[in-house]
Amino acid sequence: MKTRKETISFEKIKAQTKELHQLSFQLRMKLLSNLGVLHSSNTFNKSRQRAVENISSKKIVLNEVDFMRDAVSLYSNELLSFEERRDPLYSHVVLNEYRYLEFWVNNPDMKEIAINDEAVSFLATRVNDLNLPNRIKNVLKAADFYHVYHMVEYEEKDFLKYRNMGKGAIREMEECLISHNLHFGMHIRYDEQSKSYFTLE
């Protein structure tokens, strides 16, 4: 037989669950509404552009970075059109540009350098298609490195934490990147006006 205390607790939990469900529904509706505004006003891309145009103002850039980070965490690929999502390099770069901008504004002496077409093409290459030993490719895939653009974002030392990834393997990977004018530790940005990819040097 249930005690009065148990009955009250059960009823309280039911009421709280109903309230949470209603709040969750309201939040979903608000997120969908905000997403619609983001698309119709092109707010996300405007924020990216505003950060670049004001790169000398740390306060402005970091405000835009905060907005971009929040937008990506809430909407992820929904920020991009179907056609944009079909380009994995573009999608990855655009959704991670807030890191690029944050790094740039904190390292103001660095300059943007355009990445040539051959290097851009190689960035989009799948790890499976690289001219590397299978043992290295297997380690990379197991660590969720599926494309070259995932690899270049990391420093050499970052790969040492992965099992079966020694200095010799890292040297082979580095030589592969250098042969295509790329290197470890790259930051990459896509410029909508020039339709070009840039890195910082």
Side-chain angles (χ1 to χ4, degrees):
M1 181 176 180
K2 291 183 180 178
T3 65
R4 178 172 172 75
K5 184 176 180 181
E6 288 173 331
T7 303
I8 292 173
S9 296
F10 177 68
E11 292 301 324
K12 187 176 181 181
I13 289 171
K14 279 177 65 179
Q16 289 176 338
T17 300
K18 184 177 181 180
E19 182 181 4
L20 284 171
H21 177 75
Q22 291 171 341
L23 289 172
S24 177
F25 177 76
Q26 291 171 9
L27 178 59
R28 287 199 300 275
M29 292 300 99
K30 183 164 283 191
L31 287 173
L32 285 173
S33 174
N34 288 349
L35 181 60
V37 173
L38 279 173
H39 280 303
S40 62
S41 63
N42 202 25
T43 305
F44 186 68
N45 281 334
K46 287 178 180 176
S47 180
R48 294 166 54 209
Q49 189 60 37
R50 192 158 47 244
V52 174
E53 291 172 352
N54 294 278
I55 199 66
S56 59
S57 173
K58 188 169 184 176
K59 183 178 180 180
I60 293 176
V61 174
L62 292 183
N63 280 338
E64 300 301 339
V65 164
D66 286 343
F67 166 75
M68 291 169 63
R69 183 186 287 111
D70 289 344
V72 169
S73 69
L74 288 170
Y75 303 108
S76 188
N77 280 350
E78 292 176 304
L79 290 169
L80 306 176
S81 69
F82 175 73
E83 287 300 320
E84 289 169 339
R85 290 198 299 271
R86 291 180 64 185
D87 184 339
L89 173 61
Y90 175 89
S91 300
H92 179 81
V93 168
V94 168
L95 294 178
N96 285 277
E97 274 183 352
Y98 62 89
R99 296 191 180 100
Y100 178 103
L101 294 164
E102 189 171 38
F103 180 81
W104 192 10
V105 78
N106 286 314
N107 295 272
D109 293 335
M110 301 197 82
K111 303 298 180 187
E112 283 200 305
I113 305 295
I115 303 175
N116 66 47
D117 291 343
E118 189 273 335
V120 168
S121 178
F122 191 68
L123 280 169
T125 302
R126 291 180 177 274
V127 165
N128 268 345
D129 299 327
L130 295 178
N131 186 24
L132 290 172
N134 284 333
R135 60 185 172 78
I136 296 178
K137 290 194 278 192
N138 289 337
V139 173
L140 290 171
K141 287 184 290 182
D144 296 329
F145 292 93
Y146 298 111
H147 293 84
V148 172
Y149 57 76
H150 289 128
M151 293 168 53
V152 299
E153 293 176 332
Y154 284 73
E155 301 287 349
E156 296 173 43
K157 63 181 185 332
D158 296 325
F159 290 95
L160 291 173
K161 67 182 179 183
Y162 298 111
R163 188 177 178 184
N164 299 324
M165 183 66 79
K167 291 182 178 179
I170 293 173
R171 188 161 46 252
E172 288 185 75
M173 291 162 54
E174 183 180 33
E175 289 171 357
C176 179
L177 294 178
I178 290 174
S179 68
H180 292 85
N181 297 311
L182 301 171
H183 57 81
F184 289 122
M186 291 182 72
H187 296 80
I188 304 171
R189 180 178 79 85
Y190 182 78
D191 182 74
E192 302 288 351
Q193 293 182 337
S194 65
K195 307 298 181 188
S196 300
Y197 288 90
F198 290 85
T199 188
L200 293 167
E201 298 289 351

